[in-house]
Amino acid sequence: MTHYISSESVSEGHPDKIADQISDGVLDACLRTDPAARVAVETALKSNLVLVAGELTTTARVDVGQIVADTLARIEYSPEAFNDSFACAPGNLQILQALVQQSPDIAQGVDGESFDEQGAGDQGMMYGFACDETPELMPTPIAIAHRLTKATSEARRNAVVAGLRPDSKAMVSVEYVAGRPTAISTVVISVQHDPDIDVDPDLRQALLDKAVMPSLPEDLRDPDVTFLLNPTGKFVLGGPYADAGLTGRKIIVDTYGGVGRHGGGAFSGKDPSKVDRSAAYAMRWVAKHIVAAGAATKCEVQVSYAIGVARPVSLMIDTFGTERVDRKLISEVVDDIFDLRPAAIVRDLDLRRPIYYKTASYGHFGRQDPDFTWEQTPHAAEMATSLGL
């Protein structure tokens, strides 16, 4: 049976991702001096207006305006480069703040000295996913989509392709036969550019040669692949000038590209006491261990919590018929190895560190970075032994 799966990625210059980076920039600023900080920050952007709102309970001194300016400068949105076409640039910003302390009603369920006293910061369900389609154990479409947006960003930063601006998107459609990826059928890329750039053929050909083709796995290159590069033609106005940005609006880009389910909770701007973030990382950790141990070739894990309660309400492991051992045994071994109480997750993944800004673009999963502890599989050999593999 043949079917197709599509996934998209967006660059760090996309307005929603700018918002995510600002929110995680505030979180990192708190954690640098106050690892116990409680942070839940949302950011909205439009033109030259930036609104940062939420809850902060911290001893850290945080300069939100400087974080906004530094974020835009790091992405290379500058008034010099964009003149009046980009109103949301350093030196031309209106920054509004609506930050208060965390509700004591929430804090009483999260605070506590023992791991059983430190409950979840909210109710909800979180998912993790892993499969053996790629070396990073991620679904093929989202893995390639992230490669493409990173490649266009690097082409801009390194001036490999002339005249590019920070906002870009990519989407990849992959053909599957009998459940395995066999070919890339369509690649869609839209990249913001300077007004004097000729899109056809100059920009399109440069993108194809310098960014797109080097990002595509050779074994999946279909000779009949369809390339749609800047399909509308002109893409000069971008970022928050052309489209409002909002924290948490790219949760599928952040996770598995629509392969596997999502509990609905965003990650950026939330400290690890919020299980929306920490438990989603833990579920990826568990699912990746199951695949890395050879127990299955595809795995999805769901956990659910009640606010103020430490131990999960439920845990579900689905291996989609790809398991090599009994699923009940897999669940028992997972229960033996992994402590899924929120405080234990924070401890085991060492999450109270200022590592979150770099998670806010190009996905939270499948990244080869030592700070992404949820991508490491130190218990894979132990799991394999316990499962008799």
Side-chain angles (χ1 to χ4, degrees):
M1 177 180 177
T2 300
H3 66 279
Y4 297 84
I5 299 176
S6 300
S7 295
E8 72 163 347
S9 175
V10 299
S11 72
E12 77 267 26
H14 186 281
D16 293 331
K17 281 288 137 197
I18 300 173
D20 284 343
Q21 289 166 88
I22 291 170
S23 295
D24 273 335
V26 173
L27 172 60
D28 280 356
C30 293
L31 293 177
R32 282 189 189 98
T33 57
D34 181 13
R38 295 288 165 76
V39 181
V41 171
E42 315 281 346
T43 302
L45 310 96
K46 179 58 185 173
S47 296
N48 67 328
L49 177 65
V50 181
L51 170 63
V52 181
E55 297 80 49
L56 289 180
T57 302
T58 181
T59 60
R61 296 175 64 88
V62 179
D63 187 339
V64 172
Q66 190 62 54
I67 291 169
V68 172
D70 289 347
T71 299
L72 292 171
R74 194 177 292 117
I75 298 168
E76 298 182 350
Y77 273 127
S78 68
E80 294 79 13
F82 295 92
N83 298 317
D84 294 329
S85 68
F86 180 60
C88 188
N92 189 32
L93 296 174
Q94 295 182 37
I95 301 174
L96 301 180
Q97 299 182 44
L99 298 169
V100 300
Q101 285 198 337
Q102 183 185 59
S103 163
D105 297 341
I106 296 174
Q108 69 179 351
V110 180
D111 294 337
E113 295 184 1
S114 74
F115 280 13
D116 280 325
E117 291 174 333
Q118 296 180 49
D122 200 355
Q123 72 174 42
M125 65 282 188
M126 301 83 208
Y127 286 91
F129 185 87
C131 61
D132 69 349
E133 295 176 9
T134 62
E136 57 266 48
L137 303 187
M138 287 287 285
T140 301
I142 189 65
I144 298 174
H146 285 321
R147 287 183 207 168
L148 288 167
T149 48
K150 282 188 281 189
T152 60
S153 179
E154 290 167 3
R156 169 179 63 87
R157 291 180 181 277
N158 299 328
V160 172
V161 178
L164 299 185
R165 291 182 171 183
D167 195 355
S168 68
K169 304 176 76 171
M171 185 171 68
V172 178
S173 299
V174 176
E175 178 190 73
Y176 284 73
V177 176
R180 303 298 298 180
T182 56
I184 298 166
S185 62
T186 306
V187 174
V188 183
I189 292 206
S190 295
V191 184
Q192 186 187 14
H193 58 85
D194 290 342
D196 57 349
I197 295 296
D198 290 328
V199 175
D200 190 15
D202 295 348
L203 179 62
R204 287 175 173 147
Q205 192 62 52
L207 285 172
L208 184 65
D209 294 341
K210 304 296 185 179
V212 176
M213 293 308 295
S215 301
L216 304 184
E218 291 189 10
D219 61 329
L220 295 179
R221 293 183 186 180
D222 190 321
D224 297 323
V225 61
T226 299
F227 293 106
L228 300 172
L229 308 180
N230 277 43
T232 65
K234 182 180 178 181
F235 181 13
V236 173
L237 299 179
Y241 183 84
D243 189 13
L246 187 65
T247 297
R249 200 156 55 184
K250 287 292 178 284
I251 57 176
I252 301 303
V253 172
D254 286 343
T255 52
Y256 308 102
V259 178
R261 287 167 283 192
H262 197 294
F267 301 157
S268 290
K270 295 178 181 177
D271 77 83
S273 75
K274 279 71 173 174
V275 285
D276 274 345
R277 181 168 221 156
S278 56
Y281 289 178
M283 292 304 96
R284 164 64 175 171
W285 199 40
V286 172
K288 191 171 183 182
H289 268 87
I290 290 171
V291 175
T297 61
K298 181 178 178 181
C299 180
E300 182 179 77
V301 185
Q302 184 210 56
V303 70
S304 66
Y305 293 90
I307 188 169
V309 179
R311 297 191 179 276
V313 173
S314 67
L315 179 69
M316 179 274 293
I317 299 173
D318 190 352
T319 48
F320 306 95
T322 69
E323 65 275 2
R324 295 177 58 198
V325 296
D326 184 72
R327 286 172 56 183
K328 182 179 179 181
L329 179 58
I330 295 174
S331 295
E332 291 172 352
V333 171
V334 166
D335 189 56
D336 288 340
I337 293 176
F338 299 98
D339 188 341
L340 299 180
R341 292 174 295 175
I345 292 172
V346 171
R347 175 201 63 196
D348 294 341
L349 294 178
D350 194 13
L351 295 179
R352 290 210 167 275
R353 296 172 293 138
I355 59 171
Y356 296 103
Y357 180 88
K358 58 186 172 182
T359 70
S361 50
Y362 307 115
H364 293 244
F365 306 124
R367 307 270 293 275
Q368 301 303 311
D369 186 307
D371 284 332
F372 288 43
T373 50
W374 51 93
E375 290 298 313
Q376 300 168 20
T377 53
H379 306 300
E382 176 190 356
M383 176 176 282
T385 299
S386 297
L387 292 171
L389 296 171

